[in-house]
Amino acid sequence: MTQGPTESSWERVGDRTYVLTLPAFKANIGLVIGDEKAVVIDTGAGPGEAATIHAAVREITDLPLVAVNTHAHADHFFGNAYFAAHGVEDVWAHAAAVEAMEATGEKQRALVAGSEPGMAAAAGEHTELRLPNCTVADEPVDLDLGGYTVTLFHLGRGHTAGDLLIGSGNVLFAGDLVEEGTHPEFEDSYPYEWRKTLGKMIAIDELYSVVVPGHGRVVDQDYVRSQLRNLRQAIRMCNTAIHEASVDYTKAVPVLPYGPTQSRHLILRLKATETPADTIMPH
């Protein structure tokens, strides 16, 4: 039996669909409730945040839980072990995200030291890295929650190699493919492909009018269009700088629509991920 969410924790964004924003990284946690199961979207940066999420979930429902990780960054999957210890058997992610978690997870521990010192030090209960055991590849996966279905799908690389989207009614959980209130992060991104992936998201806007970013306030598809315009503009500026000033192309940083750190990462990733087609300058 379910009951209404408490006003202080969950925001209802659609049919059976809720969002909880955590304080440390401002990460958005999703919850979708069916008749027989519920899905938790992202698990936090460690056992502390995971415990907060779990307690908030139990304010709404006592149904069995399934978890989904939108991608392979610490603030989105380091809570997996806590949820596994509290009865969650299936954790879903994109196959490329699971590979990245395995390859980089230990190195990411330092990123959560401020909010999850035990997780950073690998000390204490539920601080082991728990990888997803269910994967999505090229084909979408429909999760039947009993009387309600959510769809897990991948539109291409962008923020990472394994960004997973979750559709619930007219609500799309976009992970860090979409950011609100802060600049996108480009450290291990694929900027050229990110541009295409956002275009694919906009192409299905008739299905998903509400978009939940990985961080920040819930937005609409117009916001996604704005993020795409900024990214296209930034790529054009960077390409011009890279081709006109091959030694010091960081001179483009002050004019890009992002902060200096994100701009430098964008330039580095454009250099690292470019293909011959991407290097052709417009006439």
Side-chain angles (χ1 to χ4, degrees), residues 29 33 37 67 85 116 156 178 260:
I29 305 302
I33 303 172
K37 298 178 184 177
E116 296 272 1
V178 178

Side-chain angles (χ1 to χ4, degrees), residues 157-161 185-194 242 249 262-275:
R157 300 192 296 189
H159 177 65
T160 67
E185 298 291 345
F186 294 101
E187 289 94 328
D188 52 351
S189 69
Y190 297 82
Y192 294 111
E193 294 175 69
W194 198 340
I242 289 169
Y249 47 78
Q262 292 87 359
S263 296
R264 288 187 178 90
H265 286 149
L266 172 60
I267 292 170
L268 292 172
R269 289 302 293 171
L270 286 169
K271 290 288 288 181
T273 62
E274 68 182 355
T275 65

Side-chain angles (χ1 to χ4, degrees), residues 39-197:
V39 169
V40 177
I41 300 168
D42 286 332
T43 60
E49 285 194 343
T52 297
I53 297 166
H54 189 266
V57 168
R58 289 307 182 215
E59 291 176 355
I60 301 181
T61 181
D62 57 3
L63 288 173
L65 301 177
V66 176
V68 177
N69 299 143
T70 56
H71 61 287
H73 287 160
D75 50 328
H76 298 266
F77 84 95
F78 270 14
N80 285 359
Y82 182 94
F83 275 89
H86 289 76
V88 174
E89 296 180 358
D90 289 340
V91 181
W92 288 83
H94 188 268
V98 178
E99 292 179 8
M101 291 172 188
E102 188 168 21
T104 69
E106 291 296 337
K107 297 176 184 177
Q108 292 190 61
R109 286 187 182 273
L111 301 176
V112 303
S115 60
E116 296 272 1
M119 191 70 193
E125 286 189 325
H126 317 311
T127 58
E128 69 275 17
L129 295 182
R130 182 69 176 243
L131 302 183
N133 62 327
C134 302
T135 58
V136 180
D138 296 332
E139 295 299 320
V141 171
D142 290 329
L143 294 184
D144 183 2
L145 307 181
Y148 195 80
T149 299
V150 297
T151 303
L152 316 181
F153 60 103
H154 176 70
L155 290 178
R157 300 192 296 189
H159 177 65
T160 67
D163 298 304
L164 191 64
L165 296 110
I166 301 93
S168 172
N170 70 322
V171 179
L172 181 65
F173 289 87
D176 286 4
L177 284 167
V178 178
E179 296 274 15
E180 192 282 326
T182 187
H183 298 298
E185 298 291 345
F186 294 101
E187 289 94 328
D188 52 351
S189 69
Y190 297 82
Y192 294 111
E193 294 175 69
W194 198 340
R195 176 184 57 186
K196 297 173 185 176
T197 300

